[in-house]
Amino acid sequence: MLMFVLVMVAVVVVIVAAVLVIGFGQRGGRGLKKRFGPEYGHVIQRHNGDTKAAEAELGERVQQHGSLEQRTLSPEAREGSVAEADRLLSRLAEDRGFPPSDQFENQMAALSVHHSDHVRGYRDLHTTAQVHGSTEEMREAMVRARGLVTARTTEQPAPSGRHRSHHHDGRDPERQAPGGHHTKGSTT
């Protein structure tokens, strides 16, 4: 009888251990999948579908970089980022054949002919860079200017405006965040 009880205890311990190991492995995978989002799938694809190898790499990343402490940007660094984004857009427009950056209003006029849906974002970014707006103003200006960056970095020249898209819903496309969602304070 004692032997039977010991065997049963051993079986229960083995079963509990197996459940814990399997559960931990699944939580680890699910945890990594949740933590890394689309990067999880990318790494699995890079490892030709080998989930264990991909999860080992991601686990290693967590070990190496998980304790990294992110620093807050100083006000000077934030302003510098916005100013650099302004310069980048200006150079990008100039490289694509628009008037030079030292003629901002002329450049804006030319851009408005080809990118009327995006010039407001660039103008806001330029103004914010000049007057050193608040952190939120800088963030919003950079988000609004994103559309022009996308438009200016495409391979094809932009249409001349004759086929300009119309926004029938009455919402301002410049107030939309990435993904088509309107930013705070916009009207719907």
Side-chain angles (χ1 to χ4, degrees):
M1 183 70 169
L2 181 61
M3 188 62 134
F4 177 74
V5 171
L6 289 175
V7 170
M8 291 305 289
V9 168
V11 168
V12 169
V13 168
V14 168
I15 290 172
V16 168
V19 167
L20 289 174
V21 167
I22 290 169
F24 178 73
Q26 289 176 343
R27 273 195 315 268
R30 272 188 269 146
L32 289 172
K33 193 173 193 175
K34 184 177 180 180
R35 182 179 197 142
F36 284 95
E39 180 68 5
Y40 180 86
H42 173 75
V43 173
I44 288 176
Q45 186 177 27
R46 241 188 39 241
H47 283 278
N48 298 318
D50 186 345
T51 304
K52 286 185 180 189
E55 288 181 358
E57 178 185 326
L58 294 171
E60 202 173 297
R61 288 185 190 183
V62 171
Q63 284 181 338
Q64 285 183 319
H65 305 291
S67 62
L68 179 96
E69 290 192 34
Q70 297 181 48
R71 293 183 296 257
T72 315
L73 281 177
S74 68
E76 296 80 22
R78 280 192 300 270
E79 291 170 8
S81 297
V82 173
E84 184 58 32
D86 181 40
R87 286 190 294 275
L88 172 67
L89 272 170
S90 181
R91 283 193 312 264
L92 188 57
E94 192 172 337
D95 288 349
R96 294 292 305 262
F98 287 85
S101 58
D102 62 346
Q103 300 173 16
F104 178 75
E105 288 304 322
N106 195 23
Q107 189 180 62
M108 286 298 298
L111 284 166
S112 72
V113 172
H114 299 276
H115 300 286
S116 61
D117 290 343
H118 302 296
V119 293
R120 178 175 169 212
Y122 178 29
R123 181 176 282 118
D124 289 351
L125 180 72
H126 183 76
T127 301
T128 302
Q130 303 302 312
V131 299
H132 310 293
S134 71
T135 301
E136 183 61 16
E137 289 170 333
M138 287 187 251
R139 185 195 68 75
E140 287 178 359
M142 288 181 81
V143 168
R144 286 191 301 271
R146 178 178 159 182
L148 186 59
V149 171
T150 301
R152 291 292 54 209
T153 56
T154 59
E155 292 298 318
Q156 300 295 323
S160 64
R162 288 178 289 159
H163 305 289
R164 190 174 145 213
S165 63
H166 297 284
H167 299 280
H168 299 289
D169 62 3
R171 292 183 288 188
D172 183 352
E174 293 291 325
R175 298 290 295 170
Q176 287 187 356
H181 304 288
H182 279 68
T183 58
K184 183 178 177 182
S186 64
T187 57
T188 54

